[in-house]
Amino acid sequence: MTVAIALLTQDLRLHDNPVLRAAADAADQVVPLFVLDPDVAATGFAPPNRAAFLADCLTDLDTALRALGSRLILRPGPAPTATARLAAEVDAVSVHVAAGVSAFAHRREQALRELLGARLHVHDGSLTVAVPGAVTPAGKDHYAVFTPYFRAWQQAPRRTVQRAPRALHTPEGIAGEPVPTAAPDSPALPKGGERIGRRLWKGYALDQYDELHDDLAADGTSRLSPYLHFGCLSAAELVASAERHGGSGAEAFVRQLAWRDFHHQVLAARPEAAHHDYRPRGDHWSAAPGGEPPLEPPDDEECEAWRQGRTGFPLVDAGMRQLAHEGWMHNRARLVTASFLAKSLYKDWRIGARHFLHLLVDGDLANNQLNWQWVAGTGTDTRPNRVLNPLTQADRLDPDGAYVRRWVPELADLPGRTAHRPWRLDRTPPDYPAPIIDPDTISTRLRRGRGLD
């Protein structure tokens, strides 16, 4: 009997899993492996919220595999040595893993190749719709602007979406660790796993996406981003399903998945963009990296007010409190809160990116860092001086103040859009802070002053 190993990383699913399928095609028996890698924790990418969601994902995947006659094997890391050790134990004919785009993933693949040689098979396109390096402009290694990338992405060939296996056989007697438990920081963290992710997708009203995805109070987004980050859902399968459905809502949804691919292809070509300006603009932030950690002075009251949702700007505070409570934030609120930190307070984008990565259950390196750079004007935005004025955005995205009242209980009794400007009331709510910068001069205080939205 031949044995292959499927080393699972951010592809914790049965449906449309090229790694699992390739391992099943390569041998009589398959060992689905997940490595509890201390190197991931050492880099800061395993904070409590994502650790708790990951535990759900692993438990769900093990249950699904057992229904097929298999089981998930967990081993302590580092991943390269743990995988090579298991390959020796079972005399594996091949080891299969999804290609990543981060510097960490590149180092892991190189170490696996050194230990396993030709037995290692790295599969492109498992984590994205398009292979990160496959859609490129003439003479360049990646697209630096989204719109031309999207046009090319729409025309690029795609792999066939694969069905879940009907049966998998795994050798008996392989030792493994139990699924670790973790307590999240956020009390309303969603539950992880492919089963829940597929149920959310099946029940989502896709037709409403185009109309409601920017409406903060309606909460009309799919909330699938954590399941995409951990690979409980396949981006390729979601795109194929949305395109079959058709309509403006599906088109808008597919465009957002193209943005995800766009950021992955940028990071694949420029791994240093995770921590360094993609397009340096010569910024001199009021709180700037002077070595890590910390990224800002320990007594920076503005940064702390932003983190705590106590800036005195209700829309900003609502977004930051949603993040703390759910480990998730509406995409438009992410842009507004990020712009407030980077453009209104003029703090280094890495301060905010680090805080988001600590709490976001969908904290994806490519999407988080490159979205922060887009907002800060150091990334791929063709309008680097763009500023998202929190008051203008509040009127546009939460016109009745419902989102603010939901997340800032101090303002729950304020009617309509008065909730966005409590400082204008004769008697301000006693438990809500005064604005940390002058709201009447915010447009002129914004450091770059042009391109306000």
Side-chain angles (χ1 to χ4, degrees), residues 67-207:
L68 301 180
S70 179
R71 66 193 185 282
L72 182 64
I73 302 299
L74 277 72
R75 289 286 180 93
T81 53
T83 305
R85 188 178 298 117
L86 179 60
E89 287 178 25
V90 299
D91 193 21
V93 296
S94 58
V95 174
H96 302 262
V97 67
V101 299
S102 68
F104 181 89
H106 293 166
R107 291 193 299 270
R108 180 178 60 203
E109 290 165 17
Q110 180 58 34
L112 284 166
R113 188 165 284 107
E114 291 173 357
L115 291 169
L116 297 168
R119 288 188 295 169
L120 180 69
H121 299 269
V122 179
H123 298 271
D124 293 323
S126 290
L127 310 183
T128 54
V129 181
V131 175
V135 182
T136 58
K140 296 183 179 179
D141 61 356
H142 74 289
Y143 277 95
V145 178
F146 174 72
T147 300
Y149 173 80
F150 183 52
R151 288 195 293 265
W153 181 89
Q154 289 177 299
Q155 303 303 317
R158 297 176 188 163
R159 64 174 178 80
T160 301
V161 174
Q162 303 169 353
R163 294 182 179 180
R166 295 182 177 180
L168 280 177
H169 303 290
T170 298
E172 297 292 335
I174 301 175
E177 299 285 321
V179 174
T181 58
D185 283 333
S186 299
L189 195 76
K191 292 290 185 181
E194 181 180 20
R195 179 179 56 86
I196 293 177
R198 294 187 73 82
R199 186 174 67 205
L200 286 173
W201 171 241
K202 184 177 180 180
Y204 181 61
L206 188 59
D207 290 332

Side-chain angles (χ1 to χ4, degrees), residues 39 62 324 358:
D39 290 343
D62 182 56
H358 178 75

Side-chain angles (χ1 to χ4, degrees), residues 10 16 22 83 86 89 95 122 162 165 198 212 222 234 256-257 304 352 444:
Q10 287 180 265
D16 192 42
T83 305
L86 179 60
E89 287 178 25
V95 174
V122 179
Q162 303 169 353
R198 294 187 73 82
L212 296 181
S222 69
S234 156
Q256 293 305 309
L257 289 172
E304 188 58 25
T444 56

Side-chain angles (χ1 to χ4, degrees), residues 371-441:
N371 270 319
W372 266 96
Q373 292 220 46
W374 187 92
V375 169
T378 63
T380 62
D381 190 6
T382 55
R383 293 171 56 197
N385 294 323
R386 185 195 311 264
V387 175
L388 300 179
N389 186 318
L391 304 180
T392 303
Q393 293 291 309
D395 293 337
R396 181 183 302 170
L397 303 173
D398 188 31
D400 296 324
Y403 178 75
V404 160
R405 284 190 291 275
R406 182 183 307 157
W407 290 108
V408 186
E410 305 98 302
L411 308 179
D413 295 332
L414 299 187
R417 63 179 58 193
T418 60
H420 294 307
R421 294 169 176 83
W423 55 84
R424 290 184 176 178
L425 300 174
D426 293 335
R427 186 172 181 271
T428 59
D431 297 327
Y432 189 64
I436 60 175
I437 56 177
D438 185 353
D440 293 325
T441 61

